[in-house]
Amino acid sequence: PVIYLLDGSMDEDVIHISGLVQFCSFSWINVVEESIVVGISNVDRKRDFTFPTTIEEDKKTFPTTGGSVKFIQFLQEELVPFVENNYRVSSQSTLIGQSLGGLLATQILLKSPELFDTYFIVSPSLWWDDFSLLKEGTSRISEPKKIFVAVGEEGPEMEAGAMELIAMLQRLRNRENEKTFLLEYAFLSQFNHGDILHAAVYEGFLRFSKSEEE
């Protein structure tokens, strides 16, 4: 299995998430299969993780934003094929994203769900462009998926966006065969936007491991 990590440079999240994956794959822990972790370093995360906004203030404050479609194309046409062609991988892949990375992960899930099998969406910045991604919604997640959404004590906009995403996915899951995808979510009140990622990913690993046992 391959785990693709947004915000994955050496001075961001790749070291501690790789360590978590290593720990969870120890034979005496056995929560995660031995996996390849691909940390994706940033050049301009505000550009790569956001779609164009209609909010004039955000256009002025973040002038480089709006490049997520090209970044998704990079993942789909360059990075994933490179990994699959150069490493011994299975067919299972996971995407982990937090904050603006969570916004991008949500965009991929809703617009191109076939790109990954499992999605860890942590503290997604769904307030972007006045929650337009949630307003557009999605009509399909037909392939089997595992989706984990987590948020902490992070303010009303962040929390409301995560809760609305969960509600949307629950409605979609109820319309489809409920076996189509596994949805888990957690409100981790003891964490904030700065310290939630590690704990959230560990919680997601535990949830999915338990569901497989059942």
Side-chain angles (χ1 to χ4, degrees):
V2 184
I3 298 172
Y4 294 89
L5 175 65
L6 302 173
D7 292 310
S9 68
M10 292 293 287
D11 60 351
E12 293 173 312
D13 298 323
V14 70
I15 294 176
H16 70 95
I17 294 298
S18 295
L20 181 59
V21 171
Q22 180 196 36
F23 172 77
C24 288
S25 66
F26 285 145
S27 60
W28 59 92
I29 305 296
N30 197 30
V31 168
V32 174
E33 291 184 70
E34 289 188 353
S35 303
I36 295 171
V37 178
V38 178
I40 306 171
S41 297
N42 290 314
V43 175
D44 181 349
R45 69 192 300 273
K46 291 183 176 67
R47 177 195 67 194
D48 294 335
F49 293 174
T50 62
F51 47 87
T53 179
T54 59
I55 308 301
E56 291 300 325
E57 183 178 346
D58 289 341
K59 291 179 183 179
K60 294 176 183 177
T61 306
F62 310 109
T64 65
T65 54
S68 62
V69 169
K70 288 185 177 180
F71 190 77
I72 294 169
Q73 185 178 12
F74 155 72
L75 296 177
Q76 191 166 23
E77 298 181 5
E78 296 184 50
L79 181 59
V80 172
F82 176 85
V83 172
E84 292 179 347
N85 290 332
N86 287 277
Y87 295 90
R88 183 170 57 88
V89 303
S90 75
S91 61
Q92 297 300 306
S93 62
T94 296
L95 180 66
I96 297 175
Q98 184 206 6
S99 192
L100 287 178
L103 175 69
L104 181 76
T106 303
Q107 182 181 356
I108 295 172
L109 173 64
L110 299 182
K111 305 298 184 182
S112 303
E114 69 283 350
L115 191 50
F116 300 99
D117 304 294
T118 301
Y119 290 82
F120 281 65
I121 299 172
V122 181
S123 308
S125 297
L126 295 168
W127 50 263
W128 180 254
D129 191 35
D130 193 25
F131 297 91
S132 65
L133 188 60
L134 292 178
K135 294 174 183 176
E136 291 176 16
T138 184
S139 60
R140 64 185 182 96
I141 299 179
S142 56
E143 308 88 351
K145 300 293 173 192
K146 295 178 183 178
I147 304 166
F148 177 70
V149 181
V151 68
E153 289 281 2
E154 305 182 53
E157 281 194 326
M158 195 73 70
E159 294 169 33
M163 294 301 106
E164 177 54 34
L165 173 61
I166 291 163
M168 178 201 303
L169 293 172
Q170 285 176 325
R171 291 192 296 269
L172 182 62
R173 184 174 181 267
N174 291 337
R175 288 204 306 268
E176 305 284 344
N177 181 335
E178 64 180 32
K179 293 183 179 179
T180 300
F181 62 88
L182 175 63
L183 174 63
E184 293 281 350
Y185 60 91
F187 179 61
L188 303 177
S189 60
Q190 67 272 46
F191 297 100
N192 58 43
H193 198 69
D195 65 1
I196 191 175
L197 181 63
H198 190 100
V201 173
Y202 186 41
E203 178 68 19
F205 285 160
L206 292 174
R207 297 278 191 98
F208 289 147
S209 176
K210 183 178 179 180
S211 68
E212 289 173 0
E213 291 174 0
E214 295 172 349

